[in-house]
Structure formats: C-alpha cells, structure tokens
C-alpha cells in the first residue's frame, strides 16, 4: 500500500471511531478491551495521535513518551479526540517525502512508517469503539479491506514481534504458520525460539501449528480482538500467542 492510502485509511478509521464512541457514550464498556470504558479508549488513542503528530510536525529525531491526556469527558473529550485526529491527518498529508524523524519499525521512510502505523493503530481501536456500541468484532471484520488487513498482519509479525520486546518465545525451536485464506501470497512462517521471533513471508517450511482464516479475521485475532479463526497442529502455540503477544 502507498502512503497516501494509509493516510486515507487513517482519516476514515478515525472518523468512524469518533462516531461509534459518540453513539456508545463515554461510560460504555469496551468488550474487546475489558479494562476500558469508551472515555479511556478516546484518551489513549487521542494521546497516541498527538504523540505521532509531534514527531512528524517537528522532525524530532529522538524518542519521547506521549503526554498524559487531559481529564476531559463527554462532548469535550470527543472534540479533543477529533481535533487531534484531524491534525494528524493534515500533518501527514502535508509532510515532505524526505521527512526525517524518529520511528521505531523498519520502513521505506519515516513518513511511510507513521502513516502505516497510525492507520493500523486507529483501525484496531475503531473496532474497540464499534464493540462498545454493540457490534460483534466478527461483523466489524467484514468492513476491513483484505489488503489492508494483510498489511496489518505483516506489520505485526515482521515489525512488532521482530523486536526484543516480543514475549512470544519457546524453550526449543518451533514454527508457527499464519495463512490468510482469501488472498494470494499472504502466508507467514514464524520461527519461535528463546530469541525474538523471526518471520518470513512464505509458507515453505514445515510448521508445528498453523492458524488460518480470512485476512480481516486473522488481523483482529492476532491483535487479540477475535478468537483465532482456525488452528491446526499443536494448539499450544496458538495459546502461547494469545497469552504472550500483547504489545506493551
């Protein structure tokens, strides 16, 4: 996907998130994140949007943590969220292709990284907001484009879980296969060991366990918003994913 496509997805997903949050109300529980109410979801995502904007807008070369969100609620919180989301979209849209700033996963450019990362960040949290207003994640998955979902799987497996922070590890080498069944070439081989996972986008090696299903369902399942669609082989590896894959 091109950077402009990610920015378009970010715009769409953020608007949908706000609309779902407004319908659900700030007190609504978020079934996909049981520790949250909608106000927590808006505060978190709004803070992340402003954090991302700061790197792109300022060309900041160094990491800094995001600021704590203000103690807003109700319509004021929604307005704050919408304002930050719009500023992020505008900042990414106007940023030069040769932008240089801090980013934390491999990417063709910092601009490409932040557009992709914030599109997926917002899409997953839009699912959370939709769940708070009563939509089942399985139904929401039908709204997610197959190519976008496959890209999100790739970012998660070959980006996030290639880092030393990944807790998905095994005492002895094992192989987990991830296969999207509704698009060509969307197959990943995840080599697990006591070190961070090593993932290749192919299905050539024998696997101890395979998780498979439509790309959008896999995308949400791997982000722990849905059960894994289908598991064959050693289900303990699928359980390991569920228990250890949360991104901190």
């Amino acid at each position: 996907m091109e950077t402009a496509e990610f920015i378009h997805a970010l715009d769409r997903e953020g608007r949908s998130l706000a609309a779902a949050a407004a319908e659900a109300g700030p007190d609504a529980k978020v079934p996909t994140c049981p520790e949250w109410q909608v106000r927590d979801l808006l505060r978190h995502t709004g803070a992340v949007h402003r954090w991302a904007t700061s790197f792109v807008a300022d060309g900041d070369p160094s990491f800094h943590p995001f600021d704590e969100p203000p103690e807003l609620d109700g319509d004021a919180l929604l307005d704050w969220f919408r304002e930050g989301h719009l500023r992020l979209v505008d900042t990414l849209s106007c940023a030069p292709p040769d932008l240089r700033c801090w980013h934390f996963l491999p990417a063709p450019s910092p601009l490409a990284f932040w557009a992709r990362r914030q599109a997926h960040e917002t899409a997953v949290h839009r699912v959370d907001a939709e769940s708070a207003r009563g939509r089942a994640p399985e139904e929401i998955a039908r709204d997610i484009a197959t190519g976008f979902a496959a890209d999100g799987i790739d970012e998660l497996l070959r980006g996030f879980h290639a880092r030393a922070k990944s807790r998905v590890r095994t005492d002895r080498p094992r192989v987990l296969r991830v296969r999207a069944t509704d698009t060509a070439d969307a197959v990943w081989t995840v080599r697990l060991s006591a070190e961070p996972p090593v993932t290749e986008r192919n299905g050539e090696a024998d696997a101890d366990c395979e998780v498979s299903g439509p790309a959008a369902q896999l995308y949400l399942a791997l982000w722990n918003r849905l059960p894994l669609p289908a598991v064959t082989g050693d289900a303990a590896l699928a359980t390991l994913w569920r228990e250890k894959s949360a991104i901190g």
Side-chain angles (χ1 to χ4, degrees):
M1 292 178 62
E2 299 295 329
T3 296
E5 294 177 278
F6 285 120
I7 296 173
H8 178 73
L10 166 63
D11 185 27
R12 179 187 65 246
E13 296 292 334
R15 292 175 189 274
S16 296
L17 191 162
E23 182 176 333
D27 296 327
K29 295 289 187 181
V30 181
T32 48
C33 294
E35 71 279 13
W36 276 357
Q37 294 175 293
V38 165
R39 63 172 55 88
D40 302 306
L41 173 63
L42 288 171
R43 288 169 181 166
H44 167 79
T45 314
V48 171
H49 284 171
R50 283 166 166 77
W51 178 70
T53 299
S54 69
F55 292 106
V56 178
D58 300 336
D60 195 334
S62 302
F63 166 80
H64 59 78
F66 59 79
D67 295 331
E68 288 298 315
E71 290 296 321
L72 298 173
D73 211 343
D75 289 344
L77 178 58
L78 270 167
D79 289 345
W80 175 83
F81 172 83
R82 287 182 171 119
E83 178 185 291
H85 168 249
L86 179 59
R87 182 165 181 243
L88 174 58
V89 171
D90 288 347
T91 299
L92 289 167
S93 298
C94 296
D98 61 351
L99 169 75
R100 293 290 177 265
C101 67
W102 180 83
H103 58 293
F104 61 88
L105 296 178
S109 70
L111 179 59
F113 165 79
W114 282 112
R116 181 195 202 194
R117 175 81 291 276
Q118 290 307 299
H120 288 300
E121 174 85 11
T122 308
V124 170
H125 287 315
R126 192 265 292 182
V127 172
D128 296 331
E130 295 273 14
S131 76
R133 72 178 182 95
R135 291 188 73 197
E138 294 87 347
E139 177 188 355
I140 303 166
R142 294 197 288 269
D143 299 339
I144 301 173
T146 300
F148 181 79
D151 181 84
I153 296 169
D154 194 76
E155 184 203 41
L156 182 62
L157 296 180
R158 297 205 297 163
F160 278 103
H161 284 287
R163 301 187 302 168
K165 290 181 177 182
S166 178
R167 298 183 300 121
V168 184
R169 305 189 185 208
T170 53
D171 292 335
R172 58 189 176 87
R174 308 299 301 279
V175 176
L176 173 66
R177 169 85 27 73
V178 176
R179 184 186 304 275
T181 55
D182 56 348
T183 183
D185 302 322
V187 185
W188 296 263
T189 297
V190 186
R191 299 182 184 278
L192 302 174
S193 69
E195 300 299 320
V198 175
T199 301
E200 301 169 344
R201 191 157 179 169
N202 64 50
E204 295 172 3
D206 291 337
D208 298 292
C209 174
E210 178 168 304
V211 298
S212 60
Q217 290 186 30
L218 272 180
Y219 174 54
L220 297 184
L222 293 170
W223 276 106
N224 293 321
R225 265 60 181 186
L226 275 178
L228 291 165
V231 177
T232 56
D234 185 357
L237 292 182
T239 301
L240 174 72
W241 181 274
R242 302 297 291 184
E243 294 177 346
K244 299 295 186 181
S245 66
I247 302 298

